[in-house]
Amino acid sequence: MPFVFDNKLYLTNQKCFIITGKSVAYLTAFFNSSLFKYCFRDSFPELQGGTRELSKIFFDKIPVYEISDAQNQQFQDVIEDIQNEYTKQKAQRIDSMLFDLYNLTTDERKVIGFVEIV
């Protein structure tokens, strides 16, 4: 379930969900992170074929830290970079940024680990 940051105003001809508002780059990083996948994998009902139902009613229940515009810009920079060319190291860097933001301990980081979308 990859989430994509779009600041070029693309259109889609397929079903998709669009998030608007403030700190969208940060939300893109958060929803693609190992932290999100670990904490909320059981919050979204599983559908046939092993996919998950991504509905607004489930997203509304997720507590997300508010961040500053400067922090959002940092996330935008790394999100645009990883969308340009994906590497595991870039994804792990984004995870690390989020782990730092949420003040996770070394043990908590180990439990969450790294979950890669391929």
Side-chain angles (χ1 to χ4, degrees), residues 6 16-17 34 39 44 49 54 56 67 83 95-96 106 112:
D6 171 29
C16 72
F17 298 95
S34 297
C39 293
F44 295 86
L54 301 178
K56 182 183 181 305
I67 62 169
Q83 287 181 180
D95 274 357
S96 182
T106 302
I112 293 168

Side-chain angles (χ1 to χ4, degrees), residues 1-5 17-41 43-44 52-65 67 72 75 78-79 82-83 91 94-95 97-99 101-102 114-117:
M1 63 179 180
F3 293 80
V4 178
F5 177 73
F17 298 95
I18 299 173
I19 298 172
T20 62
K22 191 175 178 181
S23 303
V24 176
Y26 160 63
L27 290 174
T28 303
F30 178 80
F31 290 134
N32 280 305
S33 72
S34 297
L35 175 63
F36 174 75
K37 293 171 203 154
Y38 177 83
C39 293
F40 301 105
R41 64 180 160 216
S43 298
F44 295 86
R52 299 279 177 184
E53 181 180 350
L54 301 178
S55 295
K56 182 183 181 305
I57 60 170
F58 304 115
F59 278 98
D60 283 344
K61 297 177 184 179
I62 299 172
V64 178
Y65 280 0
I67 62 169
N72 187 63
F75 280 105
V78 295
I79 286 296
I82 197 169
Q83 287 181 180
I94 293 169
D95 274 357
M97 289 172 66
L98 288 160
F99 292 168
L101 180 67
Y102 281 78
F114 176 68
V115 182
E116 188 170 27
I117 296 177

